[in-house]
Amino acid sequence: MFDLNGKVVLLTGASGGIGTSIAKKMKKQGAKLILSGTRQNILESLSLELGDDTKTIVTDLSSKEGIAKLAQEAEACFGQIDVLINNAGITADNLFLRMKDEDWDNVININLSASMRLTRQIIKGMLKRKFGRIIFISSIVGYTGNPGQTNYSASKSALVGLTKSIALEVAARGITCNLIAPGFISTPMTDKLSDEQKNRIIVNIPVNRLGRVEDISSGCVFLSSNEASFITGTTLHINGGMSMI
């Protein structure tokens, strides 16, 4: 079940906590991996840990040239891309009235525009082969909003419309396009929170805990598999019941 043996996966944001978990879970299911991120030392360490059929590409997703180069180099690694997971993202939090145009533009560019541009490049090969799995990583705040994160929430919310529109265009060609919206996940970022801050979050989560990175990577494996071939244009909410959308 959920066999990905021989499938080629391109994963952005692979040097982060969720990205690392996705890479490990995909590898366990037999996938060949192309890991993209900004931190070369983490990518190389992860590649060594995962072993054969794992490639790394350090990428600047803020530039159109960097995205085009990533797509070209990734397809050259194993000859094709079967699964694209757009996981890279950034934050630049501030209250709306204090938010700088630069912070708005940077977050929208990386979280939304870069994902669109990379998908537009990679989907060409998928259309030719009549097979593909595209996954965008959104966030619970793309549906609920969050004070101090208007730019981040807007970027993640916009992925919903992008996902549905792409799905409608390519469904007949054997390509699915879906979205995963994580809730509050335990990562190095949340580890910096005090116990009091964590407890204020957990009290609003019905399952009474923060999510684990494995919760998200398991969702990626499922949506990448043949078992999910009849699922497209939808959002998989993984938030412990915090928002039952």
Side-chain angles (χ1 to χ4, degrees), residues 11-73:
L11 169 66
T12 67
S15 54
I18 290 176
T20 296
S21 178
I22 293 172
K24 292 180 179 179
K25 188 80 73 170
M26 289 282 173
K27 186 68 173 183
K28 187 176 181 180
Q29 298 305 117
K32 299 178 180 179
L33 298 176
I34 304 163
L35 308 177
S36 168
T38 57
R39 292 175 285 183
Q40 184 173 2
N41 58 329
I42 295 178
L43 290 178
E44 290 178 351
S45 176
L46 182 58
S47 177
L48 287 173
E49 179 182 349
L50 296 177
D52 294 339
D53 290 331
T54 304
K55 307 292 185 180
T56 64
I57 304 175
V58 178
T59 309
D60 176 14
L61 290 176
S62 67
S63 73
K64 295 178 183 179
E65 294 77 16
I67 294 168
K69 183 180 178 182
L70 169 61
Q72 183 179 18
E73 291 184 3

Side-chain angles (χ1 to χ4, degrees), residues 197-210:
Q197 289 173 315
K198 289 181 182 179
N199 288 334
R200 283 203 298 267
I201 295 171
I202 291 172
V203 74
N204 293 311
I205 303 176
V207 301
N208 200 37
R209 67 169 175 85
L210 294 177

Side-chain angles (χ1 to χ4, degrees), residues 130-141:
K130 296 184 179 181
F131 179 87
R133 299 285 184 265
I134 299 167
I135 300 171
F136 295 100
I137 304 298
S138 180
S139 169
I140 187 174
V141 304

Side-chain angles (χ1 to χ4, degrees), residues 163-237:
T163 295
K164 291 177 182 294
S165 297
I166 293 173
L168 285 167
E169 291 188 13
V170 301
R173 301 296 293 273
I175 302 169
T176 65
C177 184
N178 292 291
L179 191 74
I180 291 179
F184 284 90
I185 307 299
S186 181
T187 63
M189 185 179 297
T190 57
D191 289 343
K192 296 176 183 178
L193 299 175
S194 67
D195 289 340
E196 182 181 353
Q197 289 173 315
K198 289 181 182 179
N199 288 334
R200 283 203 298 267
I201 295 171
I202 291 172
V203 74
N204 293 311
I205 303 176
V207 301
N208 200 37
R209 67 169 175 85
L210 294 177
R212 305 184 184 98
V213 290
E214 292 80 11
D215 296 323
I216 309 306
S217 55
S218 294
C220 287
V221 167
F222 170 60
L223 290 177
S224 300
S225 70
N226 289 332
E227 284 82 352
S229 62
F230 203 56
I231 300 173
T232 195
T234 194
T235 299
L236 178 57
H237 294 278

Side-chain angles (χ1 to χ4, degrees), residues 31-139:
K32 299 178 180 179
L33 298 176
I34 304 163
L35 308 177
S36 168
T38 57
R39 292 175 285 183
Q40 184 173 2
N41 58 329
I42 295 178
L43 290 178
E44 290 178 351
S45 176
L46 182 58
S47 177
L48 287 173
E49 179 182 349
L50 296 177
D52 294 339
D53 290 331
T54 304
K55 307 292 185 180
T56 64
I57 304 175
V58 178
T59 309
D60 176 14
L61 290 176
S62 67
S63 73
K64 295 178 183 179
E65 294 77 16
I67 294 168
K69 183 180 178 182
L70 169 61
Q72 183 179 18
E73 291 184 3
E75 289 180 330
C77 286
F78 299 107
Q80 65 188 59
I81 304 295
D82 300 300
V83 180
L84 170 62
I85 304 177
N86 291 287
N87 174 62
I90 63 170
T91 59
D93 299 347
N94 210 335
L95 293 175
F96 178 60
L97 288 176
R98 298 175 182 172
M99 185 164 291
K100 299 176 182 178
D101 285 351
E102 181 182 0
D103 291 336
W104 175 273
D105 292 343
N106 288 341
V107 169
I108 295 296
N109 185 38
I110 295 295
N111 295 2
L112 177 62
S113 299
S115 294
M116 177 279 294
R117 291 188 178 106
L118 180 60
T119 301
R120 189 173 57 190
Q121 289 290 115
I122 298 301
I123 205 170
K124 296 174 184 177
M126 292 180 174
L127 287 167
K128 291 178 181 178
R129 293 185 296 274
K130 296 184 179 181
F131 179 87
R133 299 285 184 265
I134 299 167
I135 300 171
F136 295 100
I137 304 298
S138 180
S139 169

